[in-house]
Structures are given as structure tokens and as C-alpha cells.
Amino acid sequence: MTHRREFLQMTTASLFGLSLLPKRRSFKLTISNPIKPLVISTWDFGLQANAAAWEILNNGGRALDAVEAGVRVPEADPNIQTIGLGGLPDRDGHVTLDACIMDEHGNAGSVACLEHIVHAISVARKVMEKTPHVMLAGEGALQFALSQGFQKQNLLTPASEKAWKEWLKKADYHPVINIENQLAPATPNTMPGNSFNHDTIGMLAIDQQGNLSGACSTSGLAFKMHGRVGDSPIVGAGLFVDNEVGAATATGVGEANMRICGTHTVVELMRQGYDPEQACRLALERLVNKDPDYARSIQLAFLAVRKDGTIGAYALQKGFRYAVYTPDVPNELRESKSFY
Ligand code: ASP
């Protein structure tokens, strides 16, 4: 309880327009031996994506170009049913894509619920570079993509159509987690909902100049409600880049992530001095503390890199893997620690 005296002091301070907040301390990270270039990305498909990004980084290219090129790899792969071409559709049979990109200047572009265009990440980049906006959604995003020369194509592959038709037999729409549990039963290597019916490619890179960029792209939750948008196109949820501090990306149930503005939280925790792994854990802890039963029943994972090239990750459930490519680590998969 605030004592009367403290309250009076507060009131006096407010009256005189004095800020009660501590003075802003600027972030100073001593970087003695930065790791660069570097690229990290979510899940096993991150290996191929990293390889494409590395080509650019190793030749002195910009991190922004690297993350776009990297993310385009799983977007174009029809066998990956959670991203781009071949993504599992919503419950009405539409493949709808979410993507976001951020550069070293803090510029951002994103698309939500975009249909018929394979490379949602490249449309997001065009939104960032060619419009006064940050996000375009649905029909407007498609119109814009077509105006920029992107080709319209059917993203629903026979395999994804078959999976959708199978789902339609019951069409049992429950809150998200139930759907995931039905469709992605745990195996010795995966947790429910971990790998089959939703997963985002999230990629973060540091170029030889030491600049950071990030990108992420997904078809979102399989058999979601038409019009559902996840965390991936939301700046500060699916992706956040601050060239002064570091960057973070997310994968897992977007609804959970949006409730804690996850990647912005991770970057701000790094600004406060936490290392990337601690920052990822602390961000997830907000959800764990607020809603432990929910947190226990879903997957959500963060992947982060600090400006000096220190990497960290944390997940709610076991089984979250990410791919790392640095001058000393030639593209390997690592598994993150988890709460449960
Ligand atoms: N975060 C994505 C979404 O909610 C899905 C995922 O990464 O698993 O749309």
C-alpha cells in the first residue's frame, strides 16, 4: 500500500511535471569479438534455408537480402505443408499465408491472409519498400502483389487437399489446441502440434557489416477459421529486429504469442542485459505464470540473436529445433531447452 507521505511526494512530483521514471539508460553492449556473418532459423527446414542465406552473407551481401532468399526456399517447397506452396489450407480450403520482414533500420513490411502467391516474404518486402504502410491483408495484399508482378498460382497441392478432405470428414472445429492434438499426435521425437500441421520459418541474420535483419513466413494453423491471422505477420510478435540490441523470431501457437508480444519482449529483455536464452525463457515465463494450464498444452518457441552474435532459444515443449550457420558452425541443428 502506498503510504500517505509517498503519495504526497508522488503527487507533488506529478504536479511539477517531474518524471517518476528512472532516467533512460542507453543500451551499451561491449562487443569484443562479434560472430559474423551468421544466420539462424527455425526447425529442420532451416538447414536448407540457411544454406541459401549463407551464399549471400558469405559474399558480403546484406542481411536483408539473405533472410529473404533463405525464407524463399521452404516457401517454394511443396513438401513442406506449413509454409507457402503446399501449405495446409484453412477449413474452407483456402491456403492463406502470413509473413513479415524487418531490416537494420527498423523498417518493417508484412502481409496477412495472402492467397495465391508463393513468396509471401517477397511481397512483405515490397510492402516495406514500395508503400507507406507496414501491413497489407487479404484481397488488398493480393492486388498489391499482382501490381508488383507476382504471379498468381494455386498453392493447394494434391497432398494438402487430401489432408484437408480427410479433416473435413469430421470437420470437428475446436479451439486450436484440440485440433493440433488430433492432427499431430506426439511421437518419440515430437510433441503434439509440433511438426505436422503448423510451423513457421523464422530467420535472423547478421551480415559482415554487423547489421541485423529478420524474416518469417507461414501458412499458419492448418484448418484454421477463414480469415484467421497468426503472430507471424505481427511486428513484435512473430518477428522483431532492433539493430542496436538483437533480433528474435517465434514459432508455435500464434494466439499465445500475440498475448505477450513475444519477440518484442525478448529483444527488450536482451536490452536489459539478459542473454538471448534467458530472454527467450523469461518471455515464455509470462505466459507460463499467467496461464499455466494453457502454456502446458501448446507449443511456443522463441529464437534470438544478440548484436554480438550470441544465440539463444527456449520453448514451452521439448522438440523445438533450430539451424545455426556461422563461420565456425557449418549449418547444424540444435535443440532448445524447454519448460516442460
Ligand atoms: N506461429 C504460427 C501461427 O500461429 C504457426 C507456427 O509457427 O507453428 O500461425
Side-chain angles (χ1 to χ4, degrees):
M1 211 169 87
T2 311
H3 291 290
R4 185 164 179 273
R5 194 179 158 156
E6 283 166 359
F7 175 76
L8 285 175
Q9 279 171 349
M10 280 161 62
T11 315
T12 315
S14 325
L15 272 178
F16 288 97
L18 300 174
S19 170
L20 295 168
L21 295 171
K23 279 214 178 92
R24 181 186 185 275
R25 272 180 294 160
S26 62
F27 176 80
K28 280 246 167 3
L29 176 70
T30 322
I31 302 177
S32 49
N33 206 0
I35 302 166
K36 58 182 186 176
L38 164 160
V39 60
I40 55 177
S41 53
T42 52
W43 302 112
D44 302 19
F45 43 62
L47 288 173
Q48 281 169 293
N50 278 2
W54 188 258
E55 288 282 303
I56 292 173
L57 295 170
N58 207 28
N59 286 317
R62 192 177 167 201
L64 182 72
D65 294 326
V67 294
E68 182 188 2
V71 165
R72 285 173 64 97
V73 173
E75 279 185 338
D77 186 338
N79 298 316
I80 298 173
Q81 289 182 296
T82 61
I83 302 164
L85 178 66
L88 288 167
D90 63 23
R91 60 182 180 172
D92 298 340
H94 302 268
V95 181
T96 67
L97 308 179
D98 293 341
C100 180
I101 194 160
M102 273 188 95
D103 73 6
E104 71 273 26
H105 306 294
N107 296 314
S110 82
V111 287
C113 212
L114 172 67
E115 290 186 61
H116 310 302
I117 306 288
V118 175
H119 292 299
I121 198 62
S122 298
V123 185
R125 181 166 177 178
K126 290 276 188 216
V127 173
M128 175 172 87
E129 293 180 339
K130 304 273 187 208
T131 79
H133 307 302
V134 167
M135 177 187 272
L136 290 179
E139 193 58 34
L142 174 62
Q143 263 175 30
F144 170 70
L146 297 175
S147 78
Q148 296 297 309
F150 289 85
Q151 296 300 309
K152 202 169 171 179
Q153 100 178 58
N154 178 18
L155 303 183
L156 189 63
T157 54
S160 288
E161 190 172 7
K162 191 168 169 234
W164 170 57
K165 291 203 166 134
E166 200 51 45
W167 177 82
L168 275 181
K169 285 182 187 162
K170 284 194 183 160
D172 209 5
Y173 190 75
H174 290 302
V176 168
I177 179 59
N178 296 340
I179 284 178
E180 287 161 9
N181 282 336
Q182 275 172 25
L183 290 166
T187 70
N189 299 320
T190 65
M191 288 297 297
N194 223 15
S195 59
F196 172 59
N197 68 338
H198 66 95
D199 277 340
T200 300
I201 172 85
M203 176 175 271
L204 310 170
I206 304 182
D207 58 29
Q208 290 184 21
Q209 290 67 46
N211 286 322
L212 279 106
S213 289
C216 64
S217 182
T218 186
S219 51
L221 303 183
F223 320 130
K224 58 197 174 186
M225 290 177 74
H226 184 57
R228 179 266 185 187
V229 171
D231 57 330
S232 304
I234 312 290
V235 176
L239 178 74
F240 196 68
V241 177
D242 184 328
N243 205 37
E244 199 185 28
V245 179
T249 190
T251 182
V253 176
E255 281 72 6
N257 186 19
M258 286 189 271
R259 288 166 60 181
I260 55 168
C261 295
T263 56
H264 182 262
T265 302
V266 171
V267 171
E268 290 311 304
L269 287 164
M270 289 196 285
R271 194 193 303 279
Q272 288 170 27
Y274 294 101
D275 71 35
E277 184 185 301
Q278 290 168 336
C280 292
R281 187 191 154 94
L282 284 168
L284 287 169
E285 211 168 81
R286 296 187 179 193
L287 191 75
V288 169
N289 291 342
K290 263 186 212 144
D291 206 340
D293 291 342
Y294 179 55
R296 193 174 278 282
S297 67
I298 57 157
Q299 176 61 303
L300 179 61
F302 294 124
L303 174 64
V305 63
R306 200 168 57 189
K307 180 76 176 169
D308 64 355
T310 309
I311 296 162
Y314 221 88
L316 288 176
Q317 315 290 344
K318 283 196 178 58
F320 169 53
R321 287 189 294 271
Y322 58 98
V324 177
Y325 207 147
T326 75
D328 295 329
V329 182
N331 216 9
E332 71 176 27
L333 271 182
R334 293 185 184 166
E335 182 149 345
S336 87
K337 292 185 192 158
S338 62
F339 274 90
Y340 307 114

PDB file of all heavy atoms in Angstrom, residues 133-163:
ATOM      1  N   HIS A 133       2.995   1.866 -46.003  1.00  0.00           N
ATOM      2  CA  HIS A 133       2.378   1.057 -44.939  1.00  0.00           C
ATOM      3  C   HIS A 133       3.334  -0.017 -44.424  1.00  0.00           C
ATOM      4  O   HIS A 133       4.385  -0.272 -45.007  1.00  0.00           O
ATOM      5  CB  HIS A 133       1.106   0.396 -45.468  1.00  0.00           C
ATOM      6  CG  HIS A 133       0.162   1.387 -46.085  1.00  0.00           C
ATOM      7  ND1 HIS A 133      -0.334   2.457 -45.403  1.00  0.00           N
ATOM      8  CD2 HIS A 133      -0.342   1.481 -47.344  1.00  0.00           C
ATOM      9  CE1 HIS A 133      -1.108   3.171 -46.192  1.00  0.00           C
ATOM     10  NE2 HIS A 133      -1.125   2.603 -47.387  1.00  0.00           N
ATOM     11  N   VAL A 134       2.915  -0.662 -43.356  1.00  0.00           N
ATOM     12  CA  VAL A 134       3.682  -1.786 -42.818  1.00  0.00           C
ATOM     13  C   VAL A 134       2.994  -3.108 -43.166  1.00  0.00           C
ATOM     14  O   VAL A 134       3.659  -4.093 -43.475  1.00  0.00           O
ATOM     15  CB  VAL A 134       3.845  -1.659 -41.280  1.00  0.00           C
ATOM     16  CG1 VAL A 134       4.355  -2.956 -40.663  1.00  0.00           C
ATOM     17  CG2 VAL A 134       4.815  -0.523 -40.946  1.00  0.00           C
ATOM     18  N   MET A 135       1.675  -3.135 -43.154  1.00  0.00           N
ATOM     19  CA  MET A 135       0.983  -4.409 -43.350  1.00  0.00           C
ATOM     20  C   MET A 135      -0.159  -4.286 -44.362  1.00  0.00           C
ATOM     21  O   MET A 135      -0.930  -3.329 -44.306  1.00  0.00           O
ATOM     22  CB  MET A 135       0.394  -4.891 -42.017  1.00  0.00           C
ATOM     23  CG  MET A 135      -0.411  -6.169 -42.134  1.00  0.00           C
ATOM     24  SD  MET A 135      -1.261  -6.609 -40.594  1.00  0.00           S
ATOM     25  CE  MET A 135      -0.011  -7.550 -39.797  1.00  0.00           C
ATOM     26  N   LEU A 136      -0.234  -5.259 -45.263  1.00  0.00           N
ATOM     27  CA  LEU A 136      -1.399  -5.370 -46.147  1.00  0.00           C
ATOM     28  C   LEU A 136      -1.999  -6.753 -45.925  1.00  0.00           C
ATOM     29  O   LEU A 136      -1.267  -7.736 -45.739  1.00  0.00           O
ATOM     30  CB  LEU A 136      -1.000  -5.207 -47.609  1.00  0.00           C
ATOM     31  CG  LEU A 136      -0.557  -3.800 -48.058  1.00  0.00           C
ATOM     32  CD1 LEU A 136      -0.164  -3.818 -49.533  1.00  0.00           C
ATOM     33  CD2 LEU A 136      -1.621  -2.743 -47.813  1.00  0.00           C
ATOM     34  N   ALA A 137      -3.329  -6.821 -46.002  1.00  0.00           N
ATOM     35  CA  ALA A 137      -4.005  -8.084 -45.696  1.00  0.00           C
ATOM     36  C   ALA A 137      -4.974  -8.487 -46.810  1.00  0.00           C
ATOM     37  O   ALA A 137      -5.511  -7.638 -47.523  1.00  0.00           O
ATOM     38  CB  ALA A 137      -4.769  -7.959 -44.385  1.00  0.00           C
ATOM     39  N   GLY A 138      -5.171  -9.805 -46.933  1.00  0.00           N
ATOM     40  CA  GLY A 138      -6.218 -10.364 -47.775  1.00  0.00           C
ATOM     41  C   GLY A 138      -6.179  -9.905 -49.220  1.00  0.00           C
ATOM     42  O   GLY A 138      -5.125  -9.896 -49.873  1.00  0.00           O
ATOM     43  N   GLU A 139      -7.362  -9.538 -49.708  1.00  0.00           N
ATOM     44  CA  GLU A 139      -7.532  -9.161 -51.110  1.00  0.00           C
ATOM     45  C   GLU A 139      -6.610  -8.001 -51.505  1.00  0.00           C
ATOM     46  O   GLU A 139      -6.031  -7.984 -52.592  1.00  0.00           O
ATOM     47  CB  GLU A 139      -9.017  -8.773 -51.320  1.00  0.00           C
ATOM     48  CG  GLU A 139      -9.461  -8.638 -52.755  1.00  0.00           C
ATOM     49  CD  GLU A 139      -9.259  -9.914 -53.580  1.00  0.00           C
ATOM     50  OE1 GLU A 139      -9.400 -11.027 -53.020  1.00  0.00           O
ATOM     51  OE2 GLU A 139      -8.967  -9.784 -54.777  1.00  0.00           O
ATOM     52  N   GLY A 140      -6.464  -7.057 -50.600  1.00  0.00           N
ATOM     53  CA  GLY A 140      -5.609  -5.889 -50.869  1.00  0.00           C
ATOM     54  C   GLY A 140      -4.152  -6.297 -51.029  1.00  0.00           C
ATOM     55  O   GLY A 140      -3.427  -5.755 -51.876  1.00  0.00           O
ATOM     56  N   ALA A 141      -3.725  -7.253 -50.208  1.00  0.00           N
ATOM     57  CA  ALA A 141      -2.337  -7.729 -50.305  1.00  0.00           C
ATOM     58  C   ALA A 141      -2.136  -8.433 -51.645  1.00  0.00           C
ATOM     59  O   ALA A 141      -1.094  -8.269 -52.301  1.00  0.00           O
ATOM     60  CB  ALA A 141      -2.041  -8.688 -49.158  1.00  0.00           C
ATOM     61  N   LEU A 142      -3.156  -9.206 -52.071  1.00  0.00           N
ATOM     62  CA  LEU A 142      -3.059  -9.901 -53.357  1.00  0.00           C
ATOM     63  C   LEU A 142      -3.017  -8.903 -54.514  1.00  0.00           C
ATOM     64  O   LEU A 142      -2.168  -9.015 -55.409  1.00  0.00           O
ATOM     65  CB  LEU A 142      -4.244 -10.873 -53.516  1.00  0.00           C
ATOM     66  CG  LEU A 142      -4.344 -11.571 -54.872  1.00  0.00           C
ATOM     67  CD1 LEU A 142      -3.111 -12.446 -55.137  1.00  0.00           C
ATOM     68  CD2 LEU A 142      -5.604 -12.431 -54.949  1.00  0.00           C
ATOM     69  N   GLN A 143      -3.904  -7.930 -54.464  1.00  0.00           N
ATOM     70  CA  GLN A 143      -3.929  -6.901 -55.520  1.00  0.00           C
ATOM     71  C   GLN A 143      -2.569  -6.221 -55.641  1.00  0.00           C
ATOM     72  O   GLN A 143      -2.037  -6.012 -56.720  1.00  0.00           O
ATOM     73  CB  GLN A 143      -4.933  -5.807 -55.143  1.00  0.00           C
ATOM     74  CG  GLN A 143      -6.289  -5.952 -55.752  1.00  0.00           C
ATOM     75  CD  GLN A 143      -7.225  -4.872 -55.185  1.00  0.00           C
ATOM     76  OE1 GLN A 143      -6.804  -3.782 -54.817  1.00  0.00           O
ATOM     77  NE2 GLN A 143      -8.488  -5.229 -55.096  1.00  0.00           N
ATOM     78  N   PHE A 144      -2.006  -5.884 -54.485  1.00  0.00           N
ATOM     79  CA  PHE A 144      -0.706  -5.219 -54.471  1.00  0.00           C
ATOM     80  C   PHE A 144       0.373  -6.132 -55.062  1.00  0.00           C
ATOM     81  O   PHE A 144       1.183  -5.704 -55.883  1.00  0.00           O
ATOM     82  CB  PHE A 144      -0.340  -4.820 -53.038  1.00  0.00           C
ATOM     83  CG  PHE A 144       1.081  -4.353 -52.888  1.00  0.00           C
ATOM     84  CD1 PHE A 144       1.488  -3.136 -53.428  1.00  0.00           C
ATOM     85  CD2 PHE A 144       2.029  -5.137 -52.234  1.00  0.00           C
ATOM     86  CE1 PHE A 144       2.817  -2.715 -53.323  1.00  0.00           C
ATOM     87  CE2 PHE A 144       3.349  -4.726 -52.122  1.00  0.00           C
ATOM     88  CZ  PHE A 144       3.740  -3.511 -52.666  1.00  0.00           C
ATOM     89  N   ALA A 145       0.343  -7.413 -54.651  1.00  0.00           N
ATOM     90  CA  ALA A 145       1.350  -8.357 -55.156  1.00  0.00           C
ATOM     91  C   ALA A 145       1.267  -8.442 -56.684  1.00  0.00           C
ATOM     92  O   ALA A 145       2.291  -8.404 -57.381  1.00  0.00           O
ATOM     93  CB  ALA A 145       1.130  -9.736 -54.532  1.00  0.00           C
ATOM     94  N   LEU A 146       0.041  -8.537 -57.205  1.00  0.00           N
ATOM     95  CA  LEU A 146      -0.118  -8.645 -58.657  1.00  0.00           C
ATOM     96  C   LEU A 146       0.392  -7.375 -59.344  1.00  0.00           C
ATOM     97  O   LEU A 146       1.045  -7.440 -60.390  1.00  0.00           O
ATOM     98  CB  LEU A 146      -1.582  -8.917 -59.025  1.00  0.00           C
ATOM     99  CG  LEU A 146      -2.148 -10.263 -58.496  1.00  0.00           C
ATOM    100  CD1 LEU A 146      -3.635 -10.388 -58.802  1.00  0.00           C
ATOM    101  CD2 LEU A 146      -1.381 -11.454 -59.074  1.00  0.00           C
ATOM    102  N   SER A 147       0.158  -6.240 -58.714  1.00  0.00           N
ATOM    103  CA  SER A 147       0.624  -4.973 -59.302  1.00  0.00           C
ATOM    104  C   SER A 147       2.151  -4.909 -59.325  1.00  0.00           C
ATOM    105  O   SER A 147       2.731  -4.153 -60.094  1.00  0.00           O
ATOM    106  CB  SER A 147       0.057  -3.772 -58.525  1.00  0.00           C
ATOM    107  OG  SER A 147       0.787  -3.592 -57.317  1.00  0.00           O
ATOM    108  N   GLN A 148       2.786  -5.699 -58.465  1.00  0.00           N
ATOM    109  CA  GLN A 148       4.250  -5.714 -58.413  1.00  0.00           C
ATOM    110  C   GLN A 148       4.839  -6.825 -59.279  1.00  0.00           C
ATOM    111  O   GLN A 148       6.041  -7.098 -59.217  1.00  0.00           O
ATOM    112  CB  GLN A 148       4.720  -5.905 -56.962  1.00  0.00           C
ATOM    113  CG  GLN A 148       4.338  -4.760 -56.044  1.00  0.00           C
ATOM    114  CD  GLN A 148       4.994  -3.447 -56.453  1.00  0.00           C
ATOM    115  OE1 GLN A 148       6.204  -3.388 -56.646  1.00  0.00           O
ATOM    116  NE2 GLN A 148       4.196  -2.402 -56.608  1.00  0.00           N
ATOM    117  N   GLY A 149       3.991  -7.508 -60.024  1.00  0.00           N
ATOM    118  CA  GLY A 149       4.490  -8.511 -60.968  1.00  0.00           C
ATOM    119  C   GLY A 149       4.529  -9.927 -60.430  1.00  0.00           C
ATOM    120  O   GLY A 149       5.023 -10.842 -61.099  1.00  0.00           O
ATOM    121  N   PHE A 150       4.029 -10.163 -59.228  1.00  0.00           N
ATOM    122  CA  PHE A 150       3.987 -11.538 -58.712  1.00  0.00           C
ATOM    123  C   PHE A 150       2.927 -12.329 -59.488  1.00  0.00           C
ATOM    124  O   PHE A 150       1.907 -11.772 -59.891  1.00  0.00           O
ATOM    125  CB  PHE A 150       3.640 -11.548 -57.216  1.00  0.00           C
ATOM    126  CG  PHE A 150       4.752 -11.038 -56.329  1.00  0.00           C
ATOM    127  CD1 PHE A 150       4.897  -9.679 -56.098  1.00  0.00           C
ATOM    128  CD2 PHE A 150       5.654 -11.911 -55.741  1.00  0.00           C
ATOM    129  CE1 PHE A 150       5.920  -9.194 -55.289  1.00  0.00           C
ATOM    130  CE2 PHE A 150       6.680 -11.439 -54.931  1.00  0.00           C
ATOM    131  CZ  PHE A 150       6.807 -10.072 -54.706  1.00  0.00           C
ATOM    132  N   GLN A 151       3.188 -13.608 -59.681  1.00  0.00           N
ATOM    133  CA  GLN A 151       2.278 -14.467 -60.446  1.00  0.00           C
ATOM    134  C   GLN A 151       1.300 -15.176 -59.519  1.00  0.00           C
ATOM    135  O   GLN A 151       1.696 -15.694 -58.470  1.00  0.00           O
ATOM    136  CB  GLN A 151       3.070 -15.551 -61.199  1.00  0.00           C
ATOM    137  CG  GLN A 151       4.011 -15.026 -62.260  1.00  0.00           C
ATOM    138  CD  GLN A 151       3.272 -14.236 -63.346  1.00  0.00           C
ATOM    139  OE1 GLN A 151       2.293 -14.720 -63.907  1.00  0.00           O
ATOM    140  NE2 GLN A 151       3.757 -13.013 -63.634  1.00  0.00           N
ATOM    141  N   LYS A 152       0.036 -15.190 -59.961  1.00  0.00           N
ATOM    142  CA  LYS A 152      -0.988 -15.891 -59.203  1.00  0.00           C
ATOM    143  C   LYS A 152      -0.874 -17.397 -59.463  1.00  0.00           C
ATOM    144  O   LYS A 152      -0.709 -17.799 -60.605  1.00  0.00           O
ATOM    145  CB  LYS A 152      -2.348 -15.392 -59.692  1.00  0.00           C
ATOM    146  CG  LYS A 152      -3.470 -15.578 -58.732  1.00  0.00           C
ATOM    147  CD  LYS A 152      -4.699 -14.814 -59.208  1.00  0.00           C
ATOM    148  CE  LYS A 152      -5.879 -15.195 -58.349  1.00  0.00           C
ATOM    149  NZ  LYS A 152      -7.103 -14.504 -58.689  1.00  0.00           N
ATOM    150  N   GLN A 153      -0.942 -18.199 -58.432  1.00  0.00           N
ATOM    151  CA  GLN A 153      -0.910 -19.646 -58.669  1.00  0.00           C
ATOM    152  C   GLN A 153      -1.670 -20.388 -57.583  1.00  0.00           C
ATOM    153  O   GLN A 153      -1.882 -19.848 -56.482  1.00  0.00           O
ATOM    154  CB  GLN A 153       0.544 -20.108 -58.826  1.00  0.00           C
ATOM    155  CG  GLN A 153       1.224 -20.746 -57.667  1.00  0.00           C
ATOM    156  CD  GLN A 153       2.648 -21.175 -58.019  1.00  0.00           C
ATOM    157  OE1 GLN A 153       3.472 -20.356 -58.419  1.00  0.00           O
ATOM    158  NE2 GLN A 153       2.949 -22.451 -57.840  1.00  0.00           N
ATOM    159  N   ASN A 154      -2.073 -21.615 -57.909  1.00  0.00           N
ATOM    160  CA  ASN A 154      -2.800 -22.425 -56.929  1.00  0.00           C
ATOM    161  C   ASN A 154      -1.799 -23.009 -55.934  1.00  0.00           C
ATOM    162  O   ASN A 154      -0.893 -23.750 -56.313  1.00  0.00           O
ATOM    163  CB  ASN A 154      -3.543 -23.545 -57.675  1.00  0.00           C
ATOM    164  CG  ASN A 154      -4.279 -24.451 -56.722  1.00  0.00           C
ATOM    165  OD1 ASN A 154      -4.511 -24.085 -55.572  1.00  0.00           O
ATOM    166  ND2 ASN A 154      -4.649 -25.640 -57.198  1.00  0.00           N
ATOM    167  N   LEU A 155      -1.954 -22.679 -54.664  1.00  0.00           N
ATOM    168  CA  LEU A 155      -0.995 -23.152 -53.657  1.00  0.00           C
ATOM    169  C   LEU A 155      -1.420 -24.483 -53.030  1.00  0.00           C
ATOM    170  O   LEU A 155      -0.653 -25.092 -52.296  1.00  0.00           O
ATOM    171  CB  LEU A 155      -0.837 -22.111 -52.542  1.00  0.00           C
ATOM    172  CG  LEU A 155      -0.406 -20.702 -52.962  1.00  0.00           C
ATOM    173  CD1 LEU A 155      -0.217 -19.811 -51.740  1.00  0.00           C
ATOM    174  CD2 LEU A 155       0.880 -20.732 -53.783  1.00  0.00           C
ATOM    175  N   LEU A 156      -2.653 -24.913 -53.330  1.00  0.00           N
ATOM    176  CA  LEU A 156      -3.160 -26.141 -52.719  1.00  0.00           C
ATOM    177  C   LEU A 156      -2.672 -27.363 -53.518  1.00  0.00           C
ATOM    178  O   LEU A 156      -3.185 -27.644 -54.603  1.00  0.00           O
ATOM    179  CB  LEU A 156      -4.694 -26.101 -52.674  1.00  0.00           C
ATOM    180  CG  LEU A 156      -5.389 -27.203 -51.885  1.00  0.00           C
ATOM    181  CD1 LEU A 156      -5.018 -27.158 -50.404  1.00  0.00           C
ATOM    182  CD2 LEU A 156      -6.906 -27.104 -52.046  1.00  0.00           C
ATOM    183  N   THR A 157      -1.704 -28.050 -52.991  1.00  0.00           N
ATOM    184  CA  THR A 157      -1.159 -29.236 -53.673  1.00  0.00           C
ATOM    185  C   THR A 157      -2.092 -30.434 -53.443  1.00  0.00           C
ATOM    186  O   THR A 157      -2.885 -30.430 -52.483  1.00  0.00           O
ATOM    187  CB  THR A 157       0.235 -29.583 -53.111  1.00  0.00           C
ATOM    188  OG1 THR A 157       0.105 -29.707 -51.695  1.00  0.00           O
ATOM    189  CG2 THR A 157       1.254 -28.528 -53.453  1.00  0.00           C
ATOM    190  N   PRO A 158      -1.991 -31.460 -54.279  1.00  0.00           N
ATOM    191  CA  PRO A 158      -2.840 -32.647 -54.067  1.00  0.00           C
ATOM    192  C   PRO A 158      -2.692 -33.215 -52.656  1.00  0.00           C
ATOM    193  O   PRO A 158      -3.685 -33.617 -52.046  1.00  0.00           O
ATOM    194  CB  PRO A 158      -2.336 -33.632 -55.128  1.00  0.00           C
ATOM    195  CG  PRO A 158      -1.753 -32.754 -56.207  1.00  0.00           C
ATOM    196  CD  PRO A 158      -1.201 -31.545 -55.511  1.00  0.00           C
ATOM    197  N   ALA A 159      -1.486 -33.241 -52.109  1.00  0.00           N
ATOM    198  CA  ALA A 159      -1.280 -33.813 -50.762  1.00  0.00           C
ATOM    199  C   ALA A 159      -2.010 -32.991 -49.701  1.00  0.00           C
ATOM    200  O   ALA A 159      -2.652 -33.546 -48.792  1.00  0.00           O
ATOM    201  CB  ALA A 159       0.213 -33.883 -50.445  1.00  0.00           C
ATOM    202  N   SER A 160      -1.961 -31.679 -49.826  1.00  0.00           N
ATOM    203  CA  SER A 160      -2.615 -30.836 -48.820  1.00  0.00           C
ATOM    204  C   SER A 160      -4.127 -30.875 -48.987  1.00  0.00           C
ATOM    205  O   SER A 160      -4.882 -30.822 -48.009  1.00  0.00           O
ATOM    206  CB  SER A 160      -2.099 -29.405 -48.892  1.00  0.00           C
ATOM    207  OG  SER A 160      -0.778 -29.382 -48.396  1.00  0.00           O
ATOM    208  N   GLU A 161      -4.563 -30.991 -50.244  1.00  0.00           N
ATOM    209  CA  GLU A 161      -6.011 -31.099 -50.487  1.00  0.00           C
ATOM    210  C   GLU A 161      -6.541 -32.399 -49.873  1.00  0.00           C
ATOM    211  O   GLU A 161      -7.603 -32.432 -49.251  1.00  0.00           O
ATOM    212  CB  GLU A 161      -6.290 -31.062 -51.998  1.00  0.00           C
ATOM    213  CG  GLU A 161      -7.760 -30.935 -52.292  1.00  0.00           C
ATOM    214  CD  GLU A 161      -8.048 -30.701 -53.774  1.00  0.00           C
ATOM    215  OE1 GLU A 161      -7.123 -30.757 -54.608  1.00  0.00           O
ATOM    216  OE2 GLU A 161      -9.239 -30.464 -54.084  1.00  0.00           O
ATOM    217  N   LYS A 162      -5.748 -33.452 -50.019  1.00  0.00           N
ATOM    218  CA  LYS A 162      -6.148 -34.757 -49.472  1.00  0.00           C
ATOM    219  C   LYS A 162      -6.254 -34.668 -47.937  1.00  0.00           C
ATOM    220  O   LYS A 162      -7.232 -35.149 -47.346  1.00  0.00           O
ATOM    221  CB  LYS A 162      -5.093 -35.802 -49.884  1.00  0.00           C
ATOM    222  CG  LYS A 162      -5.489 -37.204 -49.627  1.00  0.00           C
ATOM    223  CD  LYS A 162      -4.545 -38.189 -50.313  1.00  0.00           C
ATOM    224  CE  LYS A 162      -4.851 -39.579 -49.772  1.00  0.00           C
ATOM    225  NZ  LYS A 162      -3.687 -40.249 -49.237  1.00  0.00           N
ATOM    226  N   ALA A 163      -5.257 -34.043 -47.324  1.00  0.00           N
ATOM    227  CA  ALA A 163      -5.271 -33.912 -45.858  1.00  0.00           C
ATOM    228  C   ALA A 163      -6.487 -33.098 -45.412  1.00  0.00           C
ATOM    229  O   ALA A 163      -7.134 -33.413 -44.411  1.00  0.00           O
ATOM    230  CB  ALA A 163      -3.974 -33.244 -45.386  1.00  0.00           C
TER     231      ALA A 163
END
